[in-house]
């Protein structure tokens, strides 16, 4: 089994909820590093990554499709034309690993789904794309479960925290600095981010950079 | 394999970070409901639950041990005297299921561990308790990995969001209302809690109760 792995990606102005700790340029570079981690994990799971981007960017050796609708509309157009099983992976899952993605793609159900934290959908495997459609706004996990039920499709929830952990807010960076091993963790570390435990609560901190020596 | 499942529990004044939305009495009842969900899941995994409590309370048909030290000290005393493998489960894991716990207890490594969100340790299986000790303060996940390495013990990280999700703050209740199926979800629903999606962000809300009819 080697499904296409669709990875929606927004190159410009991503991850606005990290704007308190990362500059716009840093957020773009960080989002790009997370995308590269997801691509590497998809390949490790023998999936063929296809970036579904809101605009053209240098995606190196990865196939890219430009979205001309909103996220769900674009993905549903791809699903309606797909010849075989499709996996959809969010681009902000830097803890993704090949084995975790394989667990999703090797479900024996019609649909394999990994919820994101906060009601979303981080990964979904669709065996027969013509029979399913996605709806990513709001509580998409419960929507996708219902869409599958209404279409008579069996559905397995894959129990993975590596794929459940999406990176949106500062607290999420604790997970990346604790469990990550790819480019996005290195990117944060190169910026000086470290784990910090105060009064038993764990967070991240970014020490102020010293001024360059003159 | 039927290890004892130690479940540390604090009957009085639990879950203070939920005090903005639950009264002290409600927090005690909610913590108790979560404990019962964890006990049910442990039994479903063929483990024998043992509550390690800070004080006596009515634990019905579950064996109870009273802690006379801090959390780590008490658990380490139990580990040092244990005759066989031991599983330690936190009491605030209401998404725990038998299959998820079985994945931990059936590791082929010396240690099986599930990190909690925010650097903690939510579940840990210890094959030879005399060779290991726990240290739950702060970044306990990384500490436990290091303790295992220093003791020459192999360690598997079990990739489970059901066991990764501990309930400490209001946002965590989204996970319980989305994925839960036990007593603690029902407890929240009986209080009126519902999922709420505004501007695509998912949260929980507790509608104001109408005054009793007079």
């Amino acid at each position: 089994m080697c499904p296409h792995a669709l990875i929606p990606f927004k190159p410009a102005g991503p991850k606005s909820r990290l704007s308190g700790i990362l500059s716009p340029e840093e957020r773009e570079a960080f989002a790009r590093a997370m995308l590269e981690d997801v691509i590497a994990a998809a390949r490790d799971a023998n999936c063929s990554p296809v970036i579904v981007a809101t605009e053209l960017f240098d995606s190196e050796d990865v196939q890219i499709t430009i979205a001309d609708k909103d996220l769900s509309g674009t993905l549903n157009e791809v699903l309606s034309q797909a010849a075989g099983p499709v996996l959809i992976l969010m681009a902000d899952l830097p803890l993704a690993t090949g084995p975790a993605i394989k667990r999703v793609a090797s479900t024996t159900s019609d649909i394999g789904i990994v919820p994101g934290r906060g009601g979303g959908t981080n990964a979904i495997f669709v065996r027969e794309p013509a029979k399913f459609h996605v709806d990513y706004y709001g509580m998409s996990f419960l929507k996708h479960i219902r869409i599958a039920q209404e279409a008579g499709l069996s559905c397995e929830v894959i129990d993975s925290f590596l794929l459940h952990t999406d990176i949106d807010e500062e607290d999420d960076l604790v997970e990346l600095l604790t469990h990550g091993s790819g480019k996005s963790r290195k990117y944060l570390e190169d910026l000086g981010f470290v784990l910090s435990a105060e009064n038993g609560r764990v967070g991240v901190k970014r020490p102020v950079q010293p001024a360059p020596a003159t």
Side-chain angles (χ1 to χ4, degrees), chain A:
Chain A
M1 179 85 65
C2 170
H4 284 290
L6 306 179
I7 307 172
F9 185 64
K10 178 186 172 192
K15 295 293 153 200
S16 55
R17 282 147 69 188
L18 292 173
S19 57
I21 46 168
L22 292 174
S23 72
E25 295 72 27
E26 288 168 345
R27 283 185 277 127
E28 288 195 8
F30 179 55
R32 182 67 186 264
M34 290 199 289
L35 172 67
E36 291 179 14
D37 286 341
V38 173
I39 288 169
R43 286 184 165 146
D44 189 46
N46 296 320
C47 295
S48 305
V50 178
I51 300 170
V52 180
T54 49
E55 58 190 278
L56 263 179
F57 72 106
D58 174 15
S59 59
E60 294 181 1
D61 58 343
V62 182
Q63 185 184 338
I64 185 166
T65 293
I66 301 300
D68 58 358
K69 298 189 175 66
D70 67 0
L71 174 63
S72 298
T74 300
L75 290 170
N76 285 329
E77 195 165 277
V78 177
L79 289 179
S80 71
Q81 299 165 357
V86 166
L87 184 67
I88 304 172
L89 292 170
M90 294 297 105
D92 59 353
L93 310 177
L95 305 185
T97 62
I101 293 173
K102 275 185 188 165
R103 285 174 60 206
V104 184
S106 63
T107 180
T108 56
S109 297
D110 299 318
I111 302 286
I113 187 168
V114 185
R117 183 169 167 82
T121 303
N122 282 358
I124 188 164
F125 170 82
V126 185
R127 189 175 306 284
E128 297 179 81
K131 295 186 178 175
F132 189 76
H133 66 278
V134 294
D135 183 350
Y136 272 97
Y137 195 71
M139 302 183 214
S140 69
F141 172 75
L142 293 175
K143 287 184 195 173
H144 289 144
I145 296 286
R146 196 182 60 237
I147 291 167
Q149 283 174 338
E150 288 172 355
L153 301 173
S154 61
C155 189
E156 182 188 6
V157 179
I158 311 296
D159 181 18
S160 165
F161 85 85
L162 295 175
L163 294 174
H164 177 69
T165 304
D166 38 21
I167 305 293
D168 289 313
E169 301 182 349
E170 182 174 337
D171 272 354
D172 300 330
L173 302 183
V174 171
E175 307 309 314
L176 180 52
L177 289 176
T178 303
H179 304 290
S181 60
K183 291 185 179 180
S184 44
R185 175 184 176 146
K186 182 171 187 312
Y187 181 77
L188 290 185
E189 288 178 335
D190 287 348
L191 290 179
F193 279 94
V194 290
L195 289 170
S196 143
E198 281 167 24
N199 302 321
R201 294 284 293 277
V202 179
V204 299
K205 62 181 178 185
R206 181 182 186 177
V208 175
Q209 300 295 311
T214 53

PDB file of all heavy atoms in Angstrom, chain A residues 146-174:
ATOM      1  N   ARG A 146     -19.184  11.505  11.532  1.00  0.00           N
ATOM      2  CA  ARG A 146     -20.590  11.488  11.093  1.00  0.00           C
ATOM      3  C   ARG A 146     -20.692  11.293   9.575  1.00  0.00           C
ATOM      4  O   ARG A 146     -21.541  10.526   9.094  1.00  0.00           O
ATOM      5  CB  ARG A 146     -21.278  12.789  11.510  1.00  0.00           C
ATOM      6  CG  ARG A 146     -22.797  12.710  11.438  1.00  0.00           C
ATOM      7  CD  ARG A 146     -23.443  14.030  11.814  1.00  0.00           C
ATOM      8  NE  ARG A 146     -23.026  15.091  10.922  1.00  0.00           N
ATOM      9  CZ  ARG A 146     -22.437  16.220  11.304  1.00  0.00           C
ATOM     10  NH1 ARG A 146     -22.200  16.443  12.581  1.00  0.00           N
ATOM     11  NH2 ARG A 146     -22.085  17.137  10.416  1.00  0.00           N
ATOM     12  N   ILE A 147     -19.815  11.964   8.832  1.00  0.00           N
ATOM     13  CA  ILE A 147     -19.838  11.810   7.368  1.00  0.00           C
ATOM     14  C   ILE A 147     -19.590  10.346   6.996  1.00  0.00           C
ATOM     15  O   ILE A 147     -20.249   9.795   6.108  1.00  0.00           O
ATOM     16  CB  ILE A 147     -18.778  12.733   6.718  1.00  0.00           C
ATOM     17  CG1 ILE A 147     -19.188  14.202   6.881  1.00  0.00           C
ATOM     18  CG2 ILE A 147     -18.587  12.395   5.233  1.00  0.00           C
ATOM     19  CD1 ILE A 147     -18.073  15.206   6.568  1.00  0.00           C
ATOM     20  N   ALA A 148     -18.652   9.710   7.703  1.00  0.00           N
ATOM     21  CA  ALA A 148     -18.367   8.296   7.434  1.00  0.00           C
ATOM     22  C   ALA A 148     -19.591   7.438   7.744  1.00  0.00           C
ATOM     23  O   ALA A 148     -19.978   6.566   6.952  1.00  0.00           O
ATOM     24  CB  ALA A 148     -17.164   7.836   8.259  1.00  0.00           C
ATOM     25  N   GLN A 149     -20.218   7.704   8.891  1.00  0.00           N
ATOM     26  CA  GLN A 149     -21.405   6.917   9.270  1.00  0.00           C
ATOM     27  C   GLN A 149     -22.505   7.069   8.235  1.00  0.00           C
ATOM     28  O   GLN A 149     -23.131   6.095   7.818  1.00  0.00           O
ATOM     29  CB  GLN A 149     -21.923   7.373  10.640  1.00  0.00           C
ATOM     30  CG  GLN A 149     -21.100   6.847  11.806  1.00  0.00           C
ATOM     31  CD  GLN A 149     -21.545   7.424  13.144  1.00  0.00           C
ATOM     32  OE1 GLN A 149     -22.158   8.486  13.193  1.00  0.00           O
ATOM     33  NE2 GLN A 149     -21.216   6.728  14.220  1.00  0.00           N
ATOM     34  N   GLU A 150     -22.736   8.314   7.811  1.00  0.00           N
ATOM     35  CA  GLU A 150     -23.824   8.560   6.863  1.00  0.00           C
ATOM     36  C   GLU A 150     -23.552   7.906   5.513  1.00  0.00           C
ATOM     37  O   GLU A 150     -24.481   7.578   4.773  1.00  0.00           O
ATOM     38  CB  GLU A 150     -24.037  10.074   6.701  1.00  0.00           C
ATOM     39  CG  GLU A 150     -24.671  10.693   7.948  1.00  0.00           C
ATOM     40  CD  GLU A 150     -24.733  12.221   7.911  1.00  0.00           C
ATOM     41  OE1 GLU A 150     -24.195  12.820   6.955  1.00  0.00           O
ATOM     42  OE2 GLU A 150     -25.309  12.798   8.839  1.00  0.00           O
ATOM     43  N   ALA A 151     -22.258   7.728   5.200  1.00  0.00           N
ATOM     44  CA  ALA A 151     -21.906   7.086   3.928  1.00  0.00           C
ATOM     45  C   ALA A 151     -21.795   5.570   4.080  1.00  0.00           C
ATOM     46  O   ALA A 151     -21.446   4.876   3.118  1.00  0.00           O
ATOM     47  CB  ALA A 151     -20.592   7.661   3.406  1.00  0.00           C
ATOM     48  N   GLY A 152     -22.059   5.072   5.295  1.00  0.00           N
ATOM     49  CA  GLY A 152     -21.970   3.631   5.517  1.00  0.00           C
ATOM     50  C   GLY A 152     -20.544   3.110   5.534  1.00  0.00           C
ATOM     51  O   GLY A 152     -20.301   1.934   5.250  1.00  0.00           O
ATOM     52  N   LEU A 153     -19.593   3.982   5.871  1.00  0.00           N
ATOM     53  CA  LEU A 153     -18.183   3.588   5.874  1.00  0.00           C
ATOM     54  C   LEU A 153     -17.732   3.259   7.293  1.00  0.00           C
ATOM     55  O   LEU A 153     -18.039   3.999   8.234  1.00  0.00           O
ATOM     56  CB  LEU A 153     -17.321   4.724   5.313  1.00  0.00           C
ATOM     57  CG  LEU A 153     -17.653   5.179   3.890  1.00  0.00           C
ATOM     58  CD1 LEU A 153     -16.838   6.416   3.513  1.00  0.00           C
ATOM     59  CD2 LEU A 153     -17.390   4.048   2.898  1.00  0.00           C
ATOM     60  N   SER A 154     -16.988   2.164   7.444  1.00  0.00           N
ATOM     61  CA  SER A 154     -16.432   1.837   8.756  1.00  0.00           C
ATOM     62  C   SER A 154     -15.271   2.773   9.054  1.00  0.00           C
ATOM     63  O   SER A 154     -14.606   3.271   8.147  1.00  0.00           O
ATOM     64  CB  SER A 154     -15.971   0.381   8.785  1.00  0.00           C
ATOM     65  OG  SER A 154     -14.960   0.172   7.818  1.00  0.00           O
ATOM     66  N   CYS A 155     -15.049   3.013  10.326  1.00  0.00           N
ATOM     67  CA  CYS A 155     -14.092   4.052  10.716  1.00  0.00           C
ATOM     68  C   CYS A 155     -13.310   3.602  11.939  1.00  0.00           C
ATOM     69  O   CYS A 155     -13.900   3.177  12.931  1.00  0.00           O
ATOM     70  CB  CYS A 155     -14.882   5.328  11.024  1.00  0.00           C
ATOM     71  SG  CYS A 155     -13.861   6.766  11.275  1.00  0.00           S
ATOM     72  N   GLU A 156     -12.000   3.676  11.865  1.00  0.00           N
ATOM     73  CA  GLU A 156     -11.161   3.363  13.026  1.00  0.00           C
ATOM     74  C   GLU A 156     -10.454   4.627  13.493  1.00  0.00           C
ATOM     75  O   GLU A 156      -9.850   5.343  12.687  1.00  0.00           O
ATOM     76  CB  GLU A 156     -10.110   2.298  12.676  1.00  0.00           C
ATOM     77  CG  GLU A 156      -9.255   1.912  13.882  1.00  0.00           C
ATOM     78  CD  GLU A 156      -8.068   0.989  13.552  1.00  0.00           C
ATOM     79  OE1 GLU A 156      -7.827   0.724  12.363  1.00  0.00           O
ATOM     80  OE2 GLU A 156      -7.388   0.563  14.498  1.00  0.00           O
ATOM     81  N   VAL A 157     -10.538   4.899  14.790  1.00  0.00           N
ATOM     82  CA  VAL A 157      -9.778   6.006  15.372  1.00  0.00           C
ATOM     83  C   VAL A 157      -8.416   5.456  15.788  1.00  0.00           C
ATOM     84  O   VAL A 157      -8.336   4.516  16.578  1.00  0.00           O
ATOM     85  CB  VAL A 157     -10.505   6.609  16.588  1.00  0.00           C
ATOM     86  CG1 VAL A 157      -9.678   7.740  17.195  1.00  0.00           C
ATOM     87  CG2 VAL A 157     -11.885   7.114  16.181  1.00  0.00           C
ATOM     88  N   ILE A 158      -7.359   6.016  15.217  1.00  0.00           N
ATOM     89  CA  ILE A 158      -6.012   5.529  15.510  1.00  0.00           C
ATOM     90  C   ILE A 158      -5.474   6.304  16.712  1.00  0.00           C
ATOM     91  O   ILE A 158      -5.458   7.536  16.715  1.00  0.00           O
ATOM     92  CB  ILE A 158      -5.072   5.731  14.296  1.00  0.00           C
ATOM     93  CG1 ILE A 158      -5.720   5.200  13.012  1.00  0.00           C
ATOM     94  CG2 ILE A 158      -3.716   5.091  14.557  1.00  0.00           C
ATOM     95  CD1 ILE A 158      -5.971   3.736  12.977  1.00  0.00           C
ATOM     96  N   ASP A 159      -5.039   5.555  17.710  1.00  0.00           N
ATOM     97  CA  ASP A 159      -4.666   6.128  19.006  1.00  0.00           C
ATOM     98  C   ASP A 159      -3.187   6.518  19.010  1.00  0.00           C
ATOM     99  O   ASP A 159      -2.339   5.758  19.482  1.00  0.00           O
ATOM    100  CB  ASP A 159      -4.981   5.094  20.095  1.00  0.00           C
ATOM    101  CG  ASP A 159      -4.644   5.608  21.482  1.00  0.00           C
ATOM    102  OD1 ASP A 159      -4.505   6.832  21.652  1.00  0.00           O
ATOM    103  OD2 ASP A 159      -4.514   4.768  22.397  1.00  0.00           O
ATOM    104  N   SER A 160      -2.877   7.700  18.494  1.00  0.00           N
ATOM    105  CA  SER A 160      -1.484   8.152  18.369  1.00  0.00           C
ATOM    106  C   SER A 160      -1.329   9.572  18.888  1.00  0.00           C
ATOM    107  O   SER A 160      -1.949  10.497  18.362  1.00  0.00           O
ATOM    108  CB  SER A 160      -1.065   8.112  16.895  1.00  0.00           C
ATOM    109  OG  SER A 160       0.130   8.843  16.692  1.00  0.00           O
ATOM    110  N   PHE A 161      -0.492   9.756  19.917  1.00  0.00           N
ATOM    111  CA  PHE A 161      -0.261  11.152  20.344  1.00  0.00           C
ATOM    112  C   PHE A 161       0.726  11.844  19.419  1.00  0.00           C
ATOM    113  O   PHE A 161       0.723  13.076  19.317  1.00  0.00           O
ATOM    114  CB  PHE A 161       0.192  11.242  21.813  1.00  0.00           C
ATOM    115  CG  PHE A 161       1.675  11.075  22.053  1.00  0.00           C
ATOM    116  CD1 PHE A 161       2.538  12.155  21.943  1.00  0.00           C
ATOM    117  CD2 PHE A 161       2.201   9.848  22.398  1.00  0.00           C
ATOM    118  CE1 PHE A 161       3.909  12.008  22.170  1.00  0.00           C
ATOM    119  CE2 PHE A 161       3.560   9.687  22.622  1.00  0.00           C
ATOM    120  CZ  PHE A 161       4.415  10.770  22.502  1.00  0.00           C
ATOM    121  N   LEU A 162       1.552  11.089  18.724  1.00  0.00           N
ATOM    122  CA  LEU A 162       2.517  11.723  17.815  1.00  0.00           C
ATOM    123  C   LEU A 162       1.789  12.438  16.676  1.00  0.00           C
ATOM    124  O   LEU A 162       2.242  13.481  16.197  1.00  0.00           O
ATOM    125  CB  LEU A 162       3.486  10.677  17.258  1.00  0.00           C
ATOM    126  CG  LEU A 162       4.405  10.012  18.296  1.00  0.00           C
ATOM    127  CD1 LEU A 162       5.229   8.902  17.657  1.00  0.00           C
ATOM    128  CD2 LEU A 162       5.329  11.037  18.957  1.00  0.00           C
ATOM    129  N   LEU A 163       0.667  11.859  16.243  1.00  0.00           N
ATOM    130  CA  LEU A 163      -0.118  12.505  15.189  1.00  0.00           C
ATOM    131  C   LEU A 163      -1.228  13.393  15.754  1.00  0.00           C
ATOM    132  O   LEU A 163      -1.805  14.207  15.040  1.00  0.00           O
ATOM    133  CB  LEU A 163      -0.718  11.440  14.255  1.00  0.00           C
ATOM    134  CG  LEU A 163       0.313  10.650  13.442  1.00  0.00           C
ATOM    135  CD1 LEU A 163      -0.354   9.516  12.670  1.00  0.00           C
ATOM    136  CD2 LEU A 163       1.064  11.571  12.478  1.00  0.00           C
ATOM    137  N   HIS A 164      -1.529  13.226  17.018  1.00  0.00           N
ATOM    138  CA  HIS A 164      -2.562  14.042  17.690  1.00  0.00           C
ATOM    139  C   HIS A 164      -2.020  15.443  18.007  1.00  0.00           C
ATOM    140  O   HIS A 164      -2.785  16.392  18.170  1.00  0.00           O
ATOM    141  CB  HIS A 164      -2.951  13.318  18.982  1.00  0.00           C
ATOM    142  CG  HIS A 164      -3.932  14.000  19.876  1.00  0.00           C
ATOM    143  ND1 HIS A 164      -5.254  14.169  19.546  1.00  0.00           N
ATOM    144  CD2 HIS A 164      -3.792  14.544  21.116  1.00  0.00           C
ATOM    145  CE1 HIS A 164      -5.886  14.780  20.555  1.00  0.00           C
ATOM    146  NE2 HIS A 164      -5.013  15.019  21.503  1.00  0.00           N
ATOM    147  N   THR A 165      -0.697  15.550  18.084  1.00  0.00           N
ATOM    148  CA  THR A 165      -0.068  16.785  18.552  1.00  0.00           C
ATOM    149  C   THR A 165       0.194  17.731  17.393  1.00  0.00           C
ATOM    150  O   THR A 165       1.158  17.561  16.644  1.00  0.00           O
ATOM    151  CB  THR A 165       1.255  16.455  19.278  1.00  0.00           C
ATOM    152  OG1 THR A 165       0.976  15.528  20.337  1.00  0.00           O
ATOM    153  CG2 THR A 165       1.885  17.714  19.845  1.00  0.00           C
ATOM    154  N   ASP A 166      -0.680  18.710  17.217  1.00  0.00           N
ATOM    155  CA  ASP A 166      -0.423  19.749  16.223  1.00  0.00           C
ATOM    156  C   ASP A 166       0.147  20.966  16.942  1.00  0.00           C
ATOM    157  O   ASP A 166      -0.089  21.181  18.125  1.00  0.00           O
ATOM    158  CB  ASP A 166      -1.685  20.101  15.423  1.00  0.00           C
ATOM    159  CG  ASP A 166      -2.938  20.094  16.278  1.00  0.00           C
ATOM    160  OD1 ASP A 166      -2.835  20.221  17.516  1.00  0.00           O
ATOM    161  OD2 ASP A 166      -4.026  19.965  15.719  1.00  0.00           O
ATOM    162  N   ILE A 167       0.915  21.735  16.209  1.00  0.00           N
ATOM    163  CA  ILE A 167       1.648  22.844  16.825  1.00  0.00           C
ATOM    164  C   ILE A 167       0.991  24.155  16.428  1.00  0.00           C
ATOM    165  O   ILE A 167       1.103  24.610  15.287  1.00  0.00           O
ATOM    166  CB  ILE A 167       3.130  22.834  16.377  1.00  0.00           C
ATOM    167  CG1 ILE A 167       3.785  21.480  16.675  1.00  0.00           C
ATOM    168  CG2 ILE A 167       3.891  23.990  17.037  1.00  0.00           C
ATOM    169  CD1 ILE A 167       3.954  21.147  18.134  1.00  0.00           C
ATOM    170  N   ASP A 168       0.278  24.749  17.361  1.00  0.00           N
ATOM    171  CA  ASP A 168      -0.389  26.020  17.099  1.00  0.00           C
ATOM    172  C   ASP A 168       0.040  27.107  18.073  1.00  0.00           C
ATOM    173  O   ASP A 168       0.096  28.266  17.715  1.00  0.00           O
ATOM    174  CB  ASP A 168      -1.915  25.849  17.213  1.00  0.00           C
ATOM    175  CG  ASP A 168      -2.493  25.050  16.059  1.00  0.00           C
ATOM    176  OD1 ASP A 168      -2.128  25.347  14.912  1.00  0.00           O
ATOM    177  OD2 ASP A 168      -3.283  24.135  16.306  1.00  0.00           O
ATOM    178  N   GLU A 169       0.274  26.707  19.322  1.00  0.00           N
ATOM    179  CA  GLU A 169       0.490  27.697  20.377  1.00  0.00           C
ATOM    180  C   GLU A 169       1.796  27.421  21.112  1.00  0.00           C
ATOM    181  O   GLU A 169       2.379  26.349  20.983  1.00  0.00           O
ATOM    182  CB  GLU A 169      -0.680  27.635  21.367  1.00  0.00           C
ATOM    183  CG  GLU A 169      -2.007  27.903  20.675  1.00  0.00           C
ATOM    184  CD  GLU A 169      -3.182  27.909  21.626  1.00  0.00           C
ATOM    185  OE1 GLU A 169      -3.003  27.496  22.784  1.00  0.00           O
ATOM    186  OE2 GLU A 169      -4.265  28.332  21.194  1.00  0.00           O
ATOM    187  N   GLU A 170       2.179  28.393  21.920  1.00  0.00           N
ATOM    188  CA  GLU A 170       3.460  28.292  22.625  1.00  0.00           C
ATOM    189  C   GLU A 170       3.552  27.010  23.448  1.00  0.00           C
ATOM    190  O   GLU A 170       4.589  26.337  23.440  1.00  0.00           O
ATOM    191  CB  GLU A 170       3.642  29.524  23.523  1.00  0.00           C
ATOM    192  CG  GLU A 170       4.967  29.528  24.259  1.00  0.00           C
ATOM    193  CD  GLU A 170       5.204  30.824  25.027  1.00  0.00           C
ATOM    194  OE1 GLU A 170       4.598  31.852  24.668  1.00  0.00           O
ATOM    195  OE2 GLU A 170       5.996  30.794  25.983  1.00  0.00           O
ATOM    196  N   ASP A 171       2.471  26.649  24.144  1.00  0.00           N
ATOM    197  CA  ASP A 171       2.517  25.443  24.973  1.00  0.00           C
ATOM    198  C   ASP A 171       2.808  24.191  24.150  1.00  0.00           C
ATOM    199  O   ASP A 171       3.385  23.224  24.658  1.00  0.00           O
ATOM    200  CB  ASP A 171       1.182  25.251  25.709  1.00  0.00           C
ATOM    201  CG  ASP A 171       1.164  25.990  27.035  1.00  0.00           C
ATOM    202  OD1 ASP A 171       2.211  26.549  27.422  1.00  0.00           O
ATOM    203  OD2 ASP A 171       0.105  26.015  27.682  1.00  0.00           O
ATOM    204  N   ASP A 172       2.381  24.211  22.881  1.00  0.00           N
ATOM    205  CA  ASP A 172       2.607  23.030  22.039  1.00  0.00           C
ATOM    206  C   ASP A 172       4.097  22.794  21.793  1.00  0.00           C
ATOM    207  O   ASP A 172       4.516  21.674  21.487  1.00  0.00           O
ATOM    208  CB  ASP A 172       1.901  23.201  20.685  1.00  0.00           C
ATOM    209  CG  ASP A 172       0.394  23.378  20.824  1.00  0.00           C
ATOM    210  OD1 ASP A 172      -0.179  22.830  21.781  1.00  0.00           O
ATOM    211  OD2 ASP A 172      -0.201  24.074  19.976  1.00  0.00           O
ATOM    212  N   LEU A 173       4.887  23.870  21.906  1.00  0.00           N
ATOM    213  CA  LEU A 173       6.324  23.718  21.644  1.00  0.00           C
ATOM    214  C   LEU A 173       6.985  22.821  22.686  1.00  0.00           C
ATOM    215  O   LEU A 173       8.036  22.229  22.431  1.00  0.00           O
ATOM    216  CB  LEU A 173       7.005  25.093  21.601  1.00  0.00           C
ATOM    217  CG  LEU A 173       6.452  26.069  20.556  1.00  0.00           C
ATOM    218  CD1 LEU A 173       7.268  27.360  20.561  1.00  0.00           C
ATOM    219  CD2 LEU A 173       6.452  25.458  19.165  1.00  0.00           C
ATOM    220  N   VAL A 174       6.363  22.721  23.882  1.00  0.00           N
ATOM    221  CA  VAL A 174       6.884  21.791  24.897  1.00  0.00           C
ATOM    222  C   VAL A 174       6.927  20.374  24.322  1.00  0.00           C
ATOM    223  O   VAL A 174       7.902  19.635  24.507  1.00  0.00           O
ATOM    224  CB  VAL A 174       6.010  21.818  26.171  1.00  0.00           C
ATOM    225  CG1 VAL A 174       6.414  20.699  27.133  1.00  0.00           C
ATOM    226  CG2 VAL A 174       6.097  23.177  26.852  1.00  0.00           C
TER     227      VAL A 174
END
